[in-house]
């Protein structure tokens, strides 16, 4: 059942009721993956399924934020708010010591409530790489049915197809899944120039970007229900066609999980329940079959470690008894790396920033949306292109990077082999860098003067296959530097002196290792070439017809040049995350190919943390597919005894 929309003392009673039930399965984390798994398992009426979510349901906490969540054009406005865990990285030496915000959803629906609704897939080769790493059944052909099962694609109406390049392969999409996806019904002025500009630079329009190769220029698809013009997100899995929820699915919000209860059975550890805190009280919920951990790339490794599964040195430093030695829990962290280049544009062009600084325009846009489901608040970033590095990097530069990859001995040999292949002739099939152009200022580091009346556009450049590697681990108990703990052992901001490393609310140490070491230096070199091509795109016609000048980084002058050193310094000072962390409970390592935690019976991980090698796509659609496949595997194993 869906939780009530109030925060009264009856919630404590609900926690008592929750723990009194006899659960077959308990899902830890009611986010993008967790609700998929729970809802699919609940389709079997003979099973009783529970979900524990630390956040509230939308509207449950009394905050009037549903509009900012559901209205497409309000994307980003809930970041940093009550539905955000408000994580931060530790200081990043590769970024000049900066710490970055890492938004993750603390709400029923998880990050599918906070994201920017981008819906796409990586190329076939990205998923086949997972299988090549020793995970049978995780290649493109096996995953495609799971992608389709999650989605209902709404083809664009004729008036959109006639005005914009929204070509697609209908056979690649699903037509009966819980998540509604569609093209926007309106676009910015710049999008009308996007395809022609990239075509002029030798980039072909990809008319089948969902069918196994995302290379080329295309119009983005979003997780929007076009019938209502609202965000479609993971909670939609829990609703039947008549609006009801499965009676055998029980969701408890406001429940912070402390640990998975592990019990020794026949010399083997088994998951038998979950210990959690709800409204200041501790509870234990028991489970007869499995616990499914779907807390995401940040908190799935955290909860494993709090439960005694992980690196012995990390657990000992935190005062957690070691039950199962799993040396790579929390390691192998990979994230998409992003830069934002800002351009001054023609001031006559309507711009999303207008709604931020003009109350009348904002009120008018909201009224148009509420009355007609049209206008600026229906528009999302849609101008995308994925390119292989060979499209704009010189051959000698590619060869130099390829030669260095073999020396990255801290990366497993199987991963290195795949990374090296991305620099040979077949790599032309891979979208190794994503470029997105959108109106408005997207950079937190460029602060224009609103009084000057200027308008801006942003070119985002996002590295898809980073070499940078990092980790996420629980804090040492004393929060002090210790040679036996992970290299980043200082507490995150906001948690400077909490001695209780085993508190579920104590943020873990997030160290992505951006641009650090020999791995990161390769990323920095690649991003320098990406920045040059991003500038080149914006100087090409017809996009250049609306662009006045580049303003960030500052354009070249007699005293300021666009040499490699200047662009690298700008990248170090302004690189941010694209919020796509993966790999911290990787398949073939921490979990097996059926997502079972090695060394523990009755425990699986189903979320983005199981992705062993980063992909060239925004993660949302892939996480849904992983969850669909995980639910299938659980059902298969259940049927097989």
């Amino acid at each position: 059942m869906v939780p009530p929309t109030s925060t009264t003392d009856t919630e404590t009673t609900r926690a008592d009721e929750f723990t009194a039930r006899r659960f077959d399965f308990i899902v830890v984390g009611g986010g993008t993956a967790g609700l998929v798994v729970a809802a699919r398992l609940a389709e079997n009426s003979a099973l009783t399924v529970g979900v524990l979510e630390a956040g509230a349901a939308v509207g449950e906490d009394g905050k009037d934020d549903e509009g900012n969540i559901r209205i497409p054009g309000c994307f980003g406005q809930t970041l940093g708010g009550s539905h955000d865990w408000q994580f931060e990285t530790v200081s990043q030496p590769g970024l000049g010591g900066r710490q970055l915000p890492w938004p993750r959803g603390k709400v029923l629906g998880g990050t599918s409530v906070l994201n920017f609704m981008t819906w796409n897939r990586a190329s076939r080769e990205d998923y086949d790489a997972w299988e090549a790493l020793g995970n049978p059944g995780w290649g493109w052909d096996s995953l495609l049915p799971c992608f389709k099962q999650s989605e209902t694609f709404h083809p664009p109406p004729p008036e959109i197809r006639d005005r914009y390049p929204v070509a697609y392969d209908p056979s690649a999409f699903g037509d009966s899944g819980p998540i509604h996806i569609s093209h926007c019904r309106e676009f910015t002025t710049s999008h009308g120039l996007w395809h022609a500009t990239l075509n002029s630079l030798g980039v072909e329009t990809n008319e089948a970007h969902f069918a196994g190769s995302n290379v080329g220029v295309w119009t983005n698809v979003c997780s929007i229900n076009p019938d209502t013009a609202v965000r479609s997100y993971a909670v939609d899995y829990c609703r039947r066609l008549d609006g009801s929820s499965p009676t055998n699915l029980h969701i408890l919000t406001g429940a912070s999980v402390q640990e998975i209860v592990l019990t020794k059975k026949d010399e083997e550890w088994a998951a038998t329940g979950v210990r959690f805190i709800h409204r200041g009280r501790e509870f234990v919920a028991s489970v007869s079959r499995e616990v499914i951990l779907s807390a995401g790339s940040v908190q799935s490794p955290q909860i494993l470690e709090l439960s005694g599964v992980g690196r012995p040195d990390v657990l000992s430093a935190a005062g957690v008894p070691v039950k199962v030695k799993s040396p790579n829990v929390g390691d192998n962290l990979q994230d998409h790396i992003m830069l934002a280049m800002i351009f001054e544009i023609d001031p006559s062009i309507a711009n999303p920033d207008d709604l931020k600084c003009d109350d009348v325009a904002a009120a008018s846009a909201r009224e148009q949306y509420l009355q007609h489901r049209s206008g600026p608040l229906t528009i999302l970033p849609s101008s995308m292109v994925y390119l292989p590095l060979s499209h704009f990097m010189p051959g000698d530069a590619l060869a130099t990077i390829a030669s260095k990859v073999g020396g990255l001995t801290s990366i497993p040999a199987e991963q290195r082999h795949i990374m090296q292949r991305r620099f040979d002739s077949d790599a032309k099939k891979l979208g190794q860098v994503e470029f997105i152009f959108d109106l408005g200022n997207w950079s937190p580091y460029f602060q224009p003067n609103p009084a000057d009346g200027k308008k801006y556009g942003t070119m985002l450049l996002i590295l898809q296959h980073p070499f940078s590697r990092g980790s996420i681990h629980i804090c040492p108990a004393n929060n002090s530097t210790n040679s036996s703990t992970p290299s980043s052992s200082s507490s995150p901001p906001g948690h400077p002196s909490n001695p209780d490393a085993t508190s579920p609310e104590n943020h873990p140490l997030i160290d992505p290792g951006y641009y650090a070491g020999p791995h990161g230096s390769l990323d920095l070199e690649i991003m320098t070439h990406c920045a040059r091509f991003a500038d080149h795109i914006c100087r090409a016609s017809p996009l250049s017809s609306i662009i006045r000048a580049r303003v960030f980084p500052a354009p070249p002058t007699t005293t300021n040049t666009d040499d490699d050193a200047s662009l690298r310094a700008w990248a170090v000072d302004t690189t941010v995350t694209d919020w796509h962390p993966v790999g911290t409970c990787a398949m073939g390592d921490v979990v097996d190919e059926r997502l079972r935690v090695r060394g523990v019976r009755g425990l699986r991980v189903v979320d983005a943390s199981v992705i062993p090698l980063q992909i060239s796509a925004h993660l949302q659609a892939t996480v849904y597919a992983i969850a669909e496949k995980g639910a299938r595997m659980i059902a298969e194993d259940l049927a097989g005894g």
Side-chain angles (χ1 to χ4, degrees):
M1 58 185 175
V2 177
T5 56
S6 64
T7 53
T8 66
D9 290 339
T10 59
E11 286 194 359
T12 303
T13 305
R14 289 192 63 244
D16 289 328
E17 293 174 355
F18 187 92
T19 54
R21 295 185 184 278
R22 297 173 61 87
F23 288 108
D24 295 285
F25 295 91
I26 293 178
V27 179
V28 176
T32 310
L35 290 184
V36 175
V37 175
R40 290 303 188 194
L41 291 176
E43 290 175 355
N44 182 342
S45 60
L47 299 177
T48 302
V49 182
V51 177
L52 293 169
E53 166 55 42
V58 174
E60 184 181 33
D61 55 4
K63 292 182 169 56
D64 184 21
D65 52 12
E66 184 164 2
N68 286 342
I69 289 168
R70 286 288 199 170
I71 298 174
C74 294
F75 66 91
Q77 294 186 19
T78 54
L79 298 180
S82 62
H83 294 318
D84 186 348
W85 278 98
Q86 300 180 38
F87 293 125
E88 287 185 303
T89 70
V90 299
S91 176
Q92 295 294 288
L95 301 183
R98 288 187 295 125
Q99 295 172 291
L100 299 184
W102 256 43
R104 309 309 300 164
K106 187 180 183 181
V107 58
L108 191 66
T111 305
S112 73
V113 176
L114 304 185
N115 67 24
F116 292 8
M117 290 159 274
T118 299
W119 190 273
N120 66 348
R121 301 174 190 161
S123 293
R124 168 187 291 272
E125 289 77 9
D126 278 329
Y127 303 109
D128 288 348
W130 300 358
E131 195 162 44
L133 289 172
N135 302 295
W138 285 93
W140 168 266
D141 291 333
S142 298
L143 273 172
L144 185 57
C146 301
F147 276 111
K148 291 183 176 182
Q149 188 175 11
S150 70
E151 64 193 21
T152 291
F153 174 63
H154 299 262
E159 60 268 23
I160 297 298
R161 295 198 301 268
D162 292 343
R163 291 179 58 195
Y164 297 99
V166 289
Y168 57 91
D169 178 359
S171 68
F173 291 92
D175 58 9
S176 58
I179 304 301
H180 295 270
I181 60 172
S182 62
H183 294 90
C184 291
R185 294 301 190 251
E186 298 185 38
F187 297 92
T188 61
T189 301
S190 61
H191 184 66
L193 311 174
W194 180 245
H195 282 250
T197 300
L198 271 299
N199 293 160
S200 75
L201 297 174
V203 180
E204 294 182 0
T205 296
N206 187 340
E207 297 187 355
H209 52 91
F210 262 64
S213 175
N214 61 12
V215 171
V217 57
W218 35 273
T219 298
N220 187 41
V221 176
C222 306
S223 50
I224 298 175
N225 186 335
D227 296 333
T228 56
V230 300
R231 175 194 295 265
S232 184
Y233 66 110
V235 171
D236 293 344
Y237 264 84
C238 301
R239 301 189 179 107
R240 294 192 173 113
L241 292 176
D242 62 2
S244 66
S245 298
T247 57
N248 60 333
L249 174 60
H250 306 276
I251 300 173
L252 181 65
T253 56
S256 295
V257 170
Q258 288 183 296
E259 64 172 331
I260 309 300
V261 177
L262 303 182
T263 305
K264 208 63 171 296
K265 293 184 176 182
D266 301 325
E267 300 304 311
E268 183 181 21
W269 289 102
T272 58
V274 180
R275 190 184 311 277
F276 64 94
I277 300 291
H278 187 270
R279 293 181 66 82
R281 292 177 57 197
E282 183 178 286
F283 297 86
V284 176
S286 297
V287 64
S288 63
R289 296 187 183 275
E290 288 189 17
V291 174
I292 297 103
L293 185 53
S294 297
S297 292
V298 174
Q299 288 162 298
S300 283
Q302 179 191 24
I303 292 173
L304 283 180
E305 290 180 340
L306 293 177
S307 306
V309 181
R311 276 172 44 182
D313 59 327
V314 173
L315 303 188
S316 297
V320 177
V322 179
K323 295 177 181 176
V324 177
K325 295 180 181 179
S326 187
N328 293 317
V329 168
D331 291 335
N332 192 48
L333 174 62
Q334 301 156 59
D335 185 30
H336 287 154
I337 300 170
M338 182 166 69
L339 283 166
M341 187 173 280
I342 311 300
F343 296 83
E344 181 186 348
I345 65 169
D346 186 330
S348 66
I349 294 175
N351 189 309
D353 285 345
D354 297 342
L355 305 184
K356 300 176 184 177
C357 56
D358 187 329
D359 292 341
V360 174
S364 175
R366 186 168 286 263
E367 181 66 19
Q368 183 179 0
Y369 175 84
L370 294 175
Q371 292 294 325
H372 306 291
R373 291 296 191 264
S374 63
L377 293 181
T378 65
I379 298 174
L380 286 170
S382 297
S383 302
M384 309 183 86
V385 63
Y386 281 78
L387 294 175
L389 295 174
S390 59
H391 189 87
F392 55 85
M393 281 184 65
D396 57 346
L398 288 171
T400 299
I401 291 176
S403 67
K404 293 179 180 178
V405 174
L408 302 179
T409 55
S410 61
I411 294 178
E414 297 84 357
Q415 287 194 19
R416 289 203 311 274
H417 179 64
I418 291 171
M419 291 176 174
Q420 283 182 302
R421 291 212 313 264
R422 289 171 174 167
F423 291 88
D424 62 24
S425 57
D426 288 339
K428 293 181 180 180
K429 303 175 184 177
L430 287 174
Q432 294 165 296
V433 182
E434 176 188 13
F435 296 91
I436 304 174
F437 189 85
D438 194 38
L439 298 180
N441 171 25
W442 283 55
S443 174
Y445 300 102
F446 174 68
Q447 299 298 329
N449 180 4
D452 65 15
K454 294 181 179 179
K455 294 186 179 181
Y456 300 94
T458 301
M459 176 67 79
L460 299 173
L461 39 148
I462 308 162
L463 184 60
Q464 300 298 293
H465 298 134
F467 291 102
S468 296
R469 290 291 185 276
S471 64
I472 296 176
H473 292 293
I474 56 176
C475 299
N478 60 5
N479 287 314
S480 62
T481 302
N482 186 317
S483 60
S484 66
T485 63
S487 58
S488 300
S489 53
S490 59
S491 289
H495 303 268
S497 59
N498 186 349
D500 185 7
T502 62
S503 168
E505 294 293 325
N506 194 19
H507 290 188
L509 299 169
I510 301 173
D511 182 7
Y514 297 126
Y515 298 153
H519 315 75
S521 66
L522 295 181
D523 290 340
L524 186 56
E525 181 176 347
I526 292 170
M527 289 297 272
T528 302
H529 288 279
C530 293
R532 291 191 185 283
F533 191 69
D535 182 72
H536 186 54
I537 293 173
C538 291
R539 287 188 285 108
S541 179
L543 185 61
S544 61
S545 66
I546 67 168
I547 292 177
R548 296 288 183 84
R550 193 183 83 197
V551 296
F552 188 74
T557 65
T558 54
T559 58
N560 170 46
T561 62
D562 268 352
D563 59 18
D564 287 351
S566 298
L567 288 176
R568 285 194 180 100
W570 172 69
V572 166
D573 290 341
T574 67
T575 287
V576 295
T577 170
D578 196 27
W579 311 312
H580 296 155
V582 305
T584 49
C585 298
M587 268 192 291
D589 192 344
V590 176
V591 301
D592 66 14
E593 75 278 4
R594 297 193 73 79
L595 308 185
R596 298 172 296 205
V597 175
R598 297 187 188 277
V600 183
R601 199 165 61 209
L603 179 61
R604 300 193 205 222
V605 180
V606 184
D607 57 34
S609 72
V610 306
I611 295 175
L613 200 57
Q614 185 61 281
I615 61 172
S616 59
H618 295 245
L619 295 184
Q620 179 179 203
T622 297
V623 172
Y624 280 112
I626 289 171
E628 289 278 11
K629 187 170 182 65
R632 287 186 183 190
M633 288 178 164
I634 295 168
E636 290 167 359
D637 291 350
L638 180 65

